[in-house]
Amino acid sequence: MPTPEADGVPGRRSSRFPVVDPATGETFDEAPDQQPAELDEVVARARRAWGGWRADQAARTSALLAAADAVDAAGDDLARLLTREQGKPLAESYAEVARTTARLRYFAELAPRTRRIDDGRPVRSEIRWRSLGPVAAIVPWNFPLQLAAAKFAPALAAGNTMVLKPSPFTPLATRLLGSLLATALPEDVLTVVTGREPLGARLAAHPGIRHVTFTGSVPTGRAVAGAAAASLARVTLELGGNDAAVLLDDVDVDGIADRLFWAAFRNCGQVCMAVKRVYVPARLHGEVVEALARRAKAVTVGPGLDPGTRLGPVNNAPQLARVEQITEQALAHGARAASGGHRLDGPGYFFAPTILTDVPPGSPVVTGEQFGPVLPVVPYGTLDEAVDAANGTGFGLGGSVWGTDLDRAEAVADRLECGTAWINHHAELSLHQPFAGVKDSGVGVAGGPWGLYGNLRPFVVHRPEEG
Ligand code: NAD
C-alpha cells in the first residue's frame, strides 16, 4: 500500500509510487505520486516567483552559476542515483551530470540582445525581449538530468519560472537535482513535480502555463500539443527519431566501426539521436554486419554500477517488451540476428546487443523507433535508393553519412531531411548549435541562442525621433 506523506506543496499529502532498478527488476525506492489537483497551487507559486526572478538579469546569472556549483558538488550522489534508476553505466551518468552543469553555465551567461530597427523612417523602433511566465517542462527517462537542464537552463536564464515533471520511471535523480538547485535559486523558481499520468497531461493543459516544452515520443507529443492548445500556450516538442547512417562505397569499415557501433548502442540504444538503421552498399554489407556483430558479441553487458559494464539494461519493463516484440516480429518475417536477438536470462531488463540483417522491407524495426539495443543493417544498390530510404520515414531528427571523400559525403548529407547531419560521426552536439527536428521529430528550436529566444517573446517599442 502506498504510504501517505506530506510532499510537494505544503499542506498537501501525496501517496507514493515505486521506482524500479532496471538492473534487478526490483523496486528500490519510491517517489511522491502528486495529484493533478496540486498543480493549481504549484503554478500559482511559480507565477508569484516570476515577478522577482524576471526583474534582475545579473541576479539570475549569479544564481544559475551558483546552482551549477551546487550540482557539481553533489555529482557523486547524483550519478549513482541516476544509474540506479535509469540503468546506464556509471561513467555515462557522470558524463550526464557534467552536461547538466555545462548547460546551466552556458545559458547563465547568455542574454538576449535588444535591437534597433533602422528603416529610414523618423521613428525609433526597438525590439526588446520579455519572459513568458511560468513554463512547464516534461521529460523522458533516457537522459532525465541533461534533458531537464536543456529546458530549465534556457527557460530560467530568460526569466521564466518552471514546473518540471520527470518520467515516473526516473523521478529520483531529478528530485535530488531539484533540491540542489533550490539551494541556489529563489523559492518556487523551479519546482519538480513527480507522479503518474494524468499529471503530465494536466500540467500541459494548465491555464497558468505559458510555454510547454516537451521531450518524448511522437504520440505523447501530439497529445501535449492538443492539451496546450486549450490555453494557446507556446509548445516546443523534441520528439522521437529514426536516424539513418548511410555508408558510402569508399567507407573505411574498420576505421569507423567502433564509432558507428557506439552511435547506435550508447545508453543501450535509448537515445533520440541514436543511429537506428544503417544503409550499406550491397558489396560491403557482409563486412559491415560482421564488424558490428563482432563488437555486439564482445561488449560487456551488466548492471551500470559494475565498473566493467559498457552496456546497461533497458530502462523499464514496457520498453523491454517493445524491443523484444519488434525484434521477434522481424525475425519471424525472415530477418536474421547476426548477434543477439533475445533477452538475457536472469534478473533485470537486459537484452542482448542485436545486429539484424535480411530485414524485410517495411519492417517496424526499420520504419519505426526501436529505442533499444537492436540495429538493422540494410543493403542498398544506388545512392539515390539509400537517400530515399533514409528520408522515407515520418521522422527527421538526425542522420549521418560515412565515407572517405568528405566533400562527396557532405553532398549526400545535404540531401538528408533532418535537423542535424554528421559526417563520419553521429549525435555529437555543441551547446552553441540549434537543435530542431523536422517532420514528426519536433516543433520549435532548442539549443544555443535559439533555445534562449524560444523562451522569450519580442516586445517592440516605437517612439518618434527627438526634434
Ligand atoms: P513518453 O512520450 O512516453 O513520455 C515522455 C514524458 O511525457 C514522460 O515524463 C511521461 O510521463 C510524460 N507523459 C506521458 N503521457 C503524457 C501525456 N498524455 N501528457 C503529458 N505528458 C505525458 O516518452 P518516453 O518513453 O519517456 O521517452 C522515449 C521517447 O522520447 C522516444 O521516442 C525518444 O526518441 C524521445 N526522445 C526525444 C528526444 C529529442 O530531443 N528529440 C530526446 C530524448 C528522447
Side-chain angles (χ1 to χ4, degrees), residues 139-142 165 168 200-201 214-217 220 238-240 272 369 371:
V139 295
W141 44 260
N142 58 338
K165 193 202 80 67
F214 171 82
T215 299
S217 63
T220 313
E238 299 175 51
L239 306 181
C272 56
E369 190 186 28
F371 217 62

Side-chain angles (χ1 to χ4, degrees), residues 128-154:
R128 302 170 189 170
W129 294 91
R130 296 277 190 263
S131 56
L132 303 171
V135 305
I138 301 175
V139 295
W141 44 260
N142 58 338
F143 291 94
L145 301 183
Q146 80 181 61
L147 291 175
K151 299 190 176 311
F152 64 69

